[in-house]
Amino acid sequence: MRTRYSGLKKVFIILGAIFSIANSVVSGTIIQRMQYLSVGNVSIPSSSLNGTLQGFGALICIAMVLLDYQFGFILAVSCIAFSLFGTLRAIIGFRNLTPLPGAINCILYIIALVLISSQLRKSRKAELTDKLTGQINRYGFEEIIHKKIRAFEKGSIIFIHLQGLTDININLGRNRGDYILKTISSRIDRIINGVGESYKLEGAEFAIFVREGHDCEDLVLKLINSIEEKIEMEGDDNNFNVYVTCKAGIADCINRYVNPDTLMKNADIAMNHAIRSEDMKYCFFNDRIKRQAEREHDVEGFVKEALENGYFYLVYQPQFRIKDKSLRGFESLIRMKLPDGTFVSPAEFIAVAERSDLILRIDAFVLRRAMEEFKEICEKYDYKVVLSINISAKDIAIEGFADTVLQVIEETKFPKKCLELEITEYSFAKSGDKTLENIFRLRDENIMFAIDDFGTGYTSLAQLLNLPANLLKIDKSLIDNICTDETNRDFVNAVIYMGHLMNCEVISEGVEDEDQLTLLKNLGCDFVQGYVWSKPIDYTSVIETCREYVK
Ligand code: C2E
Ligand code: CA
Ligand code: CA
């Protein structure tokens, strides 16, 4: 699109040049030889007609410069120079000063074109420059990469994303955020000096072009180390240090045949891959991560479609008391079935949805649907059945989440005391004020909380002692080798002991065989949820399970 557009501009400019030259030839030869041009009974002196034609030619030249202040300018000035040359030749050749005003006009037009083009150059430069760092911005970067590829220049591009800058802007103010960006931009420039060029993209992102023949990995490591060094800031009373972390993506090997937009997209994919991964600081683009990004894009599309067209439904996995296999309740688990019959695993689509706000829509769907389906069951069994619903970290951290839950409870007339919300240990560890506010507000309304995936190692001891939960769910990863790994067994033992100290009950998740079950029973674990006693089941089977196991 972009090349077609600039190609079209060039065609217009060349046509303009041809027209302009033809115009000066006509005015310099044919009209020059006539004294007057007669139209009807009006006679127009050829000199005034010449002036009009010259003005017309100048207008075309201005349009050429406006279309392209570089290429158009060169051609436009050449056209006027051509006309000037003809005029000067007439003056010198015929020793006649009559065409002198025409020559002066030409010089004035050239001056006007120089002024217009330099003004355009300046405003274009401002358009392509990042005001804060003075580096070329994304638009400039894209143009330069297009040019480099056309010019057979080879190399790689690196995208760098600074993390936590939004928090810095919020907590320390935008001026300090700007100072950090400037500091980092000069650190980047220092490191890539002689190796490539750097550009400032939007927000907290930089791009670097590395010329062929340099070790990109080594360079990225140097860049990351330098960016992540402390930044000294002046405080009101004392100076303090700020640390910024970053992630990088590298798209290798620019060559003549690569599409510049694809190349930049690849660097973006690689950078996003590193951003999403917990432990990866940088990532080279490859086909595997490309396929992964494409799949995620597809899955995101499925989630949207599923929300709109009702491809989501719920299954429920029973939770039993270990000592007598009586039923505690059920965890609701979402499922997606596409119209062609394929299932997409929640482990896959929940992770994708969590990266956008789609997870909030999923949580809202599950909350309402699960409560609607379970209202009668809870009432029928004298409120002895617990309905456990997974809530994402994003949702629980939103102001007003507690109100939303209470509203759904009211609308579905669900008995509050049967409701348990599962939040992961991870979301609890990362929780801020809003999360705790929501949890305490809902606990005041007698709603229970379970800490999911417990033991995956995110909570500090201090947080642990203040967990506002009634149930700890030991993660399946700890249960898997509990019979063979003594350290794991000791750890699970400690978790159960600690849970009880904290007045929590403990449930083990992902229990698959009798040996694990017996061991957990001996360790004093209260409940079990796992294939050993039941896989997740549909609503009809829930009714049968209640009939059989509620005691
Ligand atoms: P989770 O909350 O830890 O859910 C437990 C997962 O372990 C479920 O997988 C369950 O089917 C599986 N599971 C239970 N017992 C066993 C067992 O003995 N063996 C094995 N191999 N697996 C067992 P599922 O349903 O695929 O869900 C995966 C994850 O997706 C959930 O992990 C949860 O993080 C998320 N998820 C599922 N439903 C929802 C939902 O409604 N809302 C939200 N926000 N997340 C959900
Ligand atoms: Ca769960
Ligand atoms: Ca879990």
Side-chain angles (χ1 to χ4, degrees):
M1 182 66 200
R2 180 197 159 88
T3 29
R4 206 190 311 157
Y5 178 62
S6 64
L8 212 60
K9 269 204 308 196
K10 283 216 166 88
V11 171
F12 277 125
I13 291 168
I14 291 168
L15 282 178
I18 294 169
F19 197 77
S20 171
I21 288 176
N23 183 46
S24 31
V25 169
V26 169
S27 73
T29 54
I30 306 168
I31 296 180
Q32 196 74 46
R33 286 192 195 127
M34 304 186 294
Q35 288 269 307
Y36 291 95
L37 181 74
S38 301
V39 182
N41 45 9
V42 181
S43 294
I44 305 166
S46 72
S47 55
S48 69
L49 203 62
N50 248 336
T52 311
L53 284 180
Q54 226 181 14
F56 187 55
L59 193 68
I60 292 173
C61 288
I62 290 173
M64 285 158 68
V65 177
L66 289 176
L67 277 176
D68 186 331
Y69 66 89
Q70 287 171 318
F71 177 66
F73 172 74
I74 293 169
L75 276 197
V77 169
S78 309
C79 292
I80 296 183
F82 176 79
S83 171
L84 177 63
F85 175 72
T87 321
L88 289 178
R89 215 177 58 156
I91 294 171
I92 297 163
F94 300 109
R95 295 178 191 281
N96 176 2
L97 285 181
T98 321
L100 186 64
I104 295 173
N105 273 354
C106 286
I107 294 168
L108 291 177
Y109 292 149
I110 291 178
I111 294 172
L113 291 186
V114 169
L115 289 176
I116 294 172
S117 127
S118 74
Q119 202 51 42
L120 287 175
R121 194 181 300 267
K122 261 191 223 153
S123 65
R124 184 74 184 140
K125 194 171 172 217
E127 241 175 66
L128 301 182
T129 306
D130 177 69
K131 287 195 182 59
L132 184 71
T133 60
Q135 285 170 314
I136 295 175
N137 65 17
R138 181 169 71 80
Y139 304 106
F141 170 68
E142 283 178 5
E143 251 178 38
I144 289 170
I145 292 297
H146 275 85
K147 274 188 196 151
K148 283 187 190 299
I149 289 177
R150 278 201 302 272
F152 295 89
E153 209 177 320
K154 289 186 183 171
S156 309
I157 56 176
I158 303 174
F159 278 3
I160 295 183
H161 175 84
L162 307 182
Q163 295 181 299
L165 210 69
T166 317
D167 287 343
I168 290 177
N169 280 336
I170 292 170
N171 297 326
L172 301 177
R174 283 195 175 262
N175 286 342
R176 290 202 165 110
D178 286 353
Y179 174 77
I180 288 170
L181 273 175
K182 274 198 258 180
T183 310
I184 288 175
S185 128
S186 51
R187 283 181 186 178
I188 292 176
D189 279 345
R190 206 179 54 234
I191 300 230
I192 59 154
N193 191 11
V195 174
E197 303 118 33
S198 75
Y199 307 86
K200 170 75 178 53
L201 309 184
E202 281 102 349
E205 279 171 18
F206 290 88
I208 291 152
F209 169 76
V210 188
R211 281 188 282 281
E212 198 189 23
H214 297 279
D215 182 349
C216 262
E217 190 155 20
D218 182 56
L219 187 71
V220 165
L221 283 170
K222 280 189 192 143
L223 282 164
I224 293 174
N225 285 339
S226 165
I227 291 170
E228 296 193 345
E229 269 173 27
K230 71 173 180 211
I231 298 172
E232 287 177 37
M233 311 276 291
E234 276 180 26
D236 294 336
D237 304 321
N238 293 317
N239 288 358
F240 60 96
N241 296 330
V242 173
Y243 294 87
V244 173
T245 55
C246 66
K247 299 268 186 161
I250 305 123
D252 232 344
C253 196
I254 293 185
N255 62 53
R256 182 76 177 96
Y257 305 101
V258 84
N259 177 327
D261 298 325
T262 312
L263 185 81
M264 287 182 272
K265 200 173 102 194
N266 292 351
D268 238 345
I269 290 176
M271 182 179 74
N272 280 320
H273 190 83
I275 291 173
R276 279 174 203 166
S277 129
E278 293 248 311
D279 43 7
M280 202 181 243
K281 293 297 277 181
Y282 61 92
C283 173
F284 279 87
F285 174 80
N286 60 43
D287 280 343
R288 188 183 52 80
I289 65 166
K290 181 180 166 204
R291 277 197 301 276
Q292 205 171 316
E294 283 166 354
R295 171 70 185 166
E296 279 179 20
H297 183 261
D298 290 348
V299 170
E300 193 175 323
F302 295 152
V303 171
K304 286 181 189 156
E305 249 180 85
L307 282 163
E308 261 143 48
N309 304 326
Y311 304 152
F312 281 132
Y313 63 95
L314 298 182
V315 292
Y316 300 93
Q317 190 175 26
Q319 302 175 334
F320 297 98
R321 188 172 282 282
I322 297 186
K323 80 171 185 241
D324 60 359
K325 207 179 174 183
S326 60
L327 189 75
R328 172 183 192 263
F330 297 84
E331 174 181 7
S332 65
L333 293 163
I334 192 164
R335 296 290 177 261
M336 182 202 283
K337 189 180 176 192
L338 298 174
D340 66 1
T342 51
F343 286 91
V344 183
S345 149
E348 188 179 18
F349 69 73
I350 292 285
V352 171
E354 272 172 345
R355 283 183 209 126
S356 67
D357 284 347
L358 286 172
I359 190 66
L360 307 183
R361 292 175 62 192
I362 290 184
D363 280 359
F365 163 80
V366 177
L367 260 178
R368 187 171 292 272
R369 175 64 63 85
M371 285 198 234
E372 279 167 357
E373 292 192 336
F374 260 72
K375 179 189 170 284
E376 276 172 27
I377 294 178
C378 294
E379 280 167 0
K380 183 169 175 193
Y381 290 97
D382 219 7
Y383 310 108
K384 283 185 193 155
V385 177
V386 174
L387 168 65
S388 220
I389 300 180
N390 289 290
I391 300 296
S392 77
K394 233 183 201 167
D395 227 341
I396 191 86
I398 287 181
E399 183 163 8
F401 171 75
D403 293 327
T404 312
V405 175
L406 293 172
Q407 194 183 337
V408 180
I409 290 175
E410 203 181 305
E411 284 166 13
T412 53
K413 309 226 168 357
F414 187 82
K416 275 183 211 165
K417 58 182 172 189
C418 295
L419 181 63
E420 182 174 75
L421 300 180
E422 285 191 18
I423 54 170
T424 60
E425 185 190 359
Y426 176 77
S427 71
F428 183 74
K430 297 252 161 173
S431 67
D433 295 348
K434 289 278 169 292
T435 303
L436 292 177
E437 236 173 80
N438 282 323
I439 294 177
F440 285 113
R441 169 97 203 277
L442 291 168
R443 275 183 69 95
D444 284 348
E445 296 281 341
N446 291 327
I447 288 159
M448 297 176 280
F449 275 88
I451 306 292
D452 203 356
D453 302 342
F454 194 81
T456 42
Y458 292 100
T459 338
S460 70
L461 196 63
Q463 277 177 313
L464 211 61
L465 294 172
N466 293 315
L467 278 184
N470 51 285
L471 185 75
L472 295 188
K473 294 192 84 171
I474 302 182
D475 193 57
K476 179 175 180 302
S477 59
L478 290 167
I479 304 295
D480 280 343
N481 49 6
I482 193 175
C483 292
T484 48
D485 187 328
E486 216 171 300
T487 323
N488 245 10
R489 193 181 56 212
D490 291 345
F491 186 70
V492 170
N493 190 16
V495 169
I496 294 170
Y497 181 77
M498 215 164 48
H500 289 160
L501 271 186
M502 290 152 47
N503 276 334
C504 284
E505 290 186 296
V506 181
I507 184 167
S508 293
E509 186 171 56
V511 180
E512 291 186 343
D513 61 51
E514 291 290 341
D515 290 345
Q516 292 171 332
L517 191 67
T518 312
L519 190 77
L520 287 163
K521 188 176 180 182
N522 292 338
L523 294 179
C525 182
D526 305 288
F527 304 106
V528 67
Q529 176 183 341
Y531 293 179
V532 65
W533 274 346
S534 175
K535 287 194 168 184
I537 51 178
D538 63 16
Y539 185 70
T540 324
S541 313
V542 164
I543 296 171
E544 284 160 24
T545 306
C546 286
R547 205 176 294 140
E548 194 172 344
Y549 293 102
V550 175
K551 288 187 182 154

